[in-house]
Amino acid sequence: ILDEIDIEVLKNTLMKHYLLDFHTYCSKLDGESSEMMCELLSSRSDRDTINLTLNSFNTPLNDVLVRSRLYPTIGHLYPAGTELISKSMDEQKLLDSLKSYNEYYHILEKMNSGDEFNVDDEFYKMEGTYSFHCLCVVYLCGVQVFFFCFPIFKRNKILFWRKNYRG
């Protein structure tokens, strides 16, 4: 039976490989699709790196070698920022390691403000500022399904219009 730590390691390992594979695929696309999807996947990789670090404090995952194996190998933080972050053993050291990454530094700086704060909400707000359309390829029961997603902005919320194409 898997314990909670084993499940987190498995989940993060799968996400790391998913992000890398999807980024590799998107980088082979042409034009704006490639640019936008690679940017989106890089931001997601950075978010996962920061969240993994935050959630590992005071757990068996709070070890440089263990965490380093779970971090995505793409993103704006990779490789220099990821190396700095991996050495963080508490929230203050994590914040210090992000000083040269302004967007992420300002998100985590809010943790110390005393206000009600949710890291995921702040990342979603940051990601919501990107204007993007995305192409997702999913294989369902051996059938290739394409999802074209276009953001629709409504009262500061992003809703997605999606049209399916079967290949």
Side-chain angles (χ1 to χ4, degrees):
I1 297 176
L2 297 174
D3 65 12
E4 189 175 337
I5 296 301
D6 293 333
I7 292 169
E8 284 301 310
V9 168
L10 181 62
K11 183 181 89 173
N12 284 289
T13 301
L14 288 173
M15 183 56 75
K16 170 187 174 175
H17 291 289
Y18 162 78
L19 289 169
L20 179 59
D21 287 347
F22 198 16
H23 188 274
T24 301
Y25 169 78
C26 290
S27 66
K28 294 176 184 175
L29 298 174
D30 291 329
E32 192 174 315
S33 295
S34 175
E35 182 182 326
M36 295 308 235
M37 285 306 300
C38 288
E39 175 62 31
L40 189 61
L41 292 166
S42 291
S43 295
R44 174 61 192 258
S45 295
D46 293 346
R47 183 179 84 187
D48 286 358
T49 298
I50 292 168
N51 276 334
L52 173 61
T53 305
L54 277 171
N55 293 327
S56 70
F57 297 145
N58 301 315
T59 73
L61 294 177
N62 198 18
D63 177 84
V64 175
L65 293 175
V66 172
R67 277 198 314 235
S68 295
R69 288 191 301 248
L70 298 174
Y71 290 147
T73 53
I74 58 170
H76 306 292
L77 294 173
Y78 183 78
T82 304
E83 184 179 334
L84 287 172
I85 289 171
S86 70
K87 296 174 185 173
S88 303
M89 295 301 160
D90 59 42
E91 290 177 6
Q92 186 57 50
K93 289 180 182 166
L94 175 60
L95 185 62
D96 292 343
S97 68
L98 291 170
K99 281 188 179 176
S100 58
Y101 301 92
N102 287 331
E103 281 184 299
Y104 304 127
Y105 179 80
H106 292 302
I107 287 174
L108 292 183
E109 192 175 38
K110 292 179 183 181
M111 280 190 312
N112 298 330
S113 68
D115 296 335
E116 190 173 314
F117 176 79
N118 183 314
V119 173
D120 288 326
D121 288 347
E122 295 300 318
F123 277 116
Y124 288 129
K125 287 178 193 175
M126 182 185 80
E127 289 170 1
T129 62
Y130 298 127
S131 172
F132 60 88
H133 15 281
C134 63
L135 161 66
C136 303
V137 180
V138 180
Y139 289 91
L140 299 173
C141 300
V143 177
Q144 191 176 31
V145 180
F146 295 85
F147 296 98
F148 291 91
C149 306
F150 302 92
I152 300 171
F153 295 91
K154 185 176 182 180
R155 294 187 188 181
N156 296 324
K157 291 185 179 179
I158 300 176
L159 308 172
F160 286 92
W161 172 79
R162 181 172 76 195
K163 183 161 183 157
N164 299 340
Y165 295 90
R166 291 188 179 264

